[in-house]
Amino acid sequence: MNKVRLLITDGFSSDGLAKLGKFDLFEVDLNKGLDEAEAANKIKNADAMIIRSATKLKGALLDAGADLKAIVRAGSGVDNIDVSAASQMGIYVFNTPGANNNAVVELTIGYLFSLLRELPRCASGMKAGKWEKKALVGGEVQGRTIGLIGLGAIGASVAKKVKALGMRVIGFDPRAKELGANSFLDEVCESVDDVFKSSNMVTLHLPAIESTKNSIGKAQFDLMENGSYLVNCARGGIVVEKDVIAALDSGKLAGAAFDVFETEPVSKNDPLVMHEKVISSPHIGAATNESQKKVALMAVERLVGFFKDNQSECALNSDSVSRS
């Protein structure tokens, strides 16, 4: 049996590579930082791919993968893959749900403390020789009402952890009953707007799909009390970024934290990133050693299951793949 030609385009953890090596099944081509032309040239010779968020398998780049049989997104979101087109090409698309959840949850909660205590300003001031003790009077999370938009695995985990911190936790998800949200929220809201009306801190946990695109903006911020906070470690394009800036300038928002953006990487001097009341990071939600290991090991499990044991049930498009 010929080995599976496996192309990895966004790097991979050593734990994943070690696990791949235990199977006499794959011929691995490991890469990082390929431009589109380089990636297209390599994809032509691949039977399978493992990607993260940097590779965008859409249009001409996906079309180049005539021999592809499986794509594994080492992560949960697949908005960087044209799943419908892959299905038509006979390519199964897998992801690794849950493997990086805790990393995203902890970054979200870390941002809550950072915003309320202005920790970036504290650190930069100290490095600059400033002692701003009297100016840096922050707030506490205990006793505040936090609103969660999206109550899947990550939203539910955030809810349970911040509740232990003494926060009142409310939220909305159209699948709230199915997800059993009553078991981990103080109040299940009827709409996104209801969450913004009743919260002074809001965290987002939504996928990037057509219905969520630019779904959070001025109308929602106007419902909040002055001096509120917003955290987005979910997906870029959900929030209207210019409306965030306007809300910060007006005082409606006292601060905001963003790990994800409509366009990534962001341009130099991006107005949202540069705003004095914004804390930001370069899409590092899943970037922990622990998360990278879990994601890589699950990605390998997906590929081995598919190529060794002919398992495709956990593919996102298992019911729609076209096979000639």
Side-chain angles (χ1 to χ4, degrees):
M1 177 181 175
N2 292 330
K3 289 189 176 183
V4 176
R5 298 168 298 174
L6 173 59
L7 174 63
I8 304 175
T9 56
D10 299 328
F12 206 51
S13 85
S14 58
D15 298 282
L17 291 173
K19 187 166 184 175
L20 279 170
K22 292 180 179 180
F23 299 91
D24 190 27
L25 188 61
F26 302 100
E27 178 185 303
V28 179
D29 184 3
L30 177 64
N31 301 268
K32 191 173 183 179
L34 296 174
D35 62 31
E36 189 165 338
E38 292 170 328
N41 188 53
K42 286 183 173 290
I43 287 171
K44 292 176 183 177
N45 300 312
D47 299 309
M49 290 186 69
I50 296 177
I51 67 171
R52 290 193 59 78
S53 59
T55 299
K56 314 299 181 186
L57 282 178
K58 299 180 179 183
L61 189 57
L62 179 60
D63 290 342
D67 292 338
L68 282 174
K69 300 171 183 66
I71 298 166
V72 180
R73 164 69 166 93
S76 56
V78 292
D79 43 296
N80 56 323
I81 303 172
D82 189 335
V83 179
S84 177
S87 299
Q88 293 174 14
M89 294 172 67
I91 305 169
Y92 286 92
V93 178
F94 300 86
N95 65 347
T96 60
N100 56 16
N101 284 1
N102 189 65
V104 179
V105 169
E106 291 190 3
L107 180 62
T108 299
I109 294 172
Y111 266 148
L112 298 179
F113 290 114
S114 293
L115 285 167
L116 285 172
R117 300 305 299 267
E118 296 190 70
L119 296 183
R121 177 181 168 186
C122 290
S124 62
M126 292 291 286
K127 290 181 186 300
K130 299 178 182 179
W131 189 262
E132 298 181 286
K133 180 178 174 67
K134 292 184 179 180
L136 290 164
V137 178
E140 301 178 10
V141 298
Q142 184 173 314
R144 289 178 179 264
T145 296
I146 185 170
L148 282 60
I149 309 297
L151 303 174
I154 292 176
S157 184
V158 169
K160 293 168 186 174
K161 286 177 167 60
V162 296
K163 199 168 185 178
L165 294 171
M167 302 189 81
R168 179 172 179 268
V169 190
I170 68 174
F172 169 77
D173 191 300
R175 305 170 299 145
K177 289 184 179 179
E178 173 191 338
L179 295 167
N182 283 315
S183 67
F184 54 84
L185 291 186
D186 293 303
E187 179 185 344
V188 179
C189 296
E190 295 295 320
S191 68
V192 169
D193 285 0
D194 285 345
V195 174
F196 277 88
K197 283 178 187 176
S198 305
S199 308
N200 45 39
M201 302 192 90
V202 169
T203 62
L204 305 180
H205 312 286
L206 299 169
I209 56 179
E210 194 59 37
S211 62
T212 63
K213 185 178 181 180
N214 294 326
S215 61
I216 306 297
K218 183 180 186 302
Q220 287 69 44
F221 302 142
D222 285 349
L223 298 171
M224 302 182 83
E225 61 184 66
N226 288 339
S228 294
Y229 297 87
L230 176 72
V231 177
N232 184 14
C233 294
R235 282 288 181 266
I238 294 170
V239 180
V240 182
E241 294 178 359
K242 66 180 180 62
D243 290 355
V244 177
I245 294 171
L248 290 164
D249 289 341
S250 71
K252 179 62 71 172
L253 289 177
F258 277 75
D259 183 50
V260 290
F261 303 87
E262 184 172 1
T263 300
E264 296 182 3
V266 298
S267 60
K268 186 178 181 180
N269 297 322
D270 178 87
L272 180 64
V273 172
M274 298 302 293
H275 199 286
E276 63 179 357
K277 296 179 181 178
V278 170
I279 306 171
S280 61
S281 49
H283 203 150
I284 62 167
T288 65
N289 291 324
E290 296 86 349
S291 172
Q292 296 301 299
K293 178 178 179 178
K294 287 184 285 187
V295 164
L297 294 179
M298 187 180 290
V300 174
E301 288 172 9
R302 294 287 196 250
L303 282 181
V304 172
F306 180 74
F307 286 102
K308 184 174 181 289
D309 302 319
N310 200 31
Q311 295 175 352
S312 60
E313 314 81 56
C314 57
L316 298 174
N317 58 342
S318 59
D319 295 331
S320 57
V321 172
S322 299
R323 282 294 188 193
S324 55

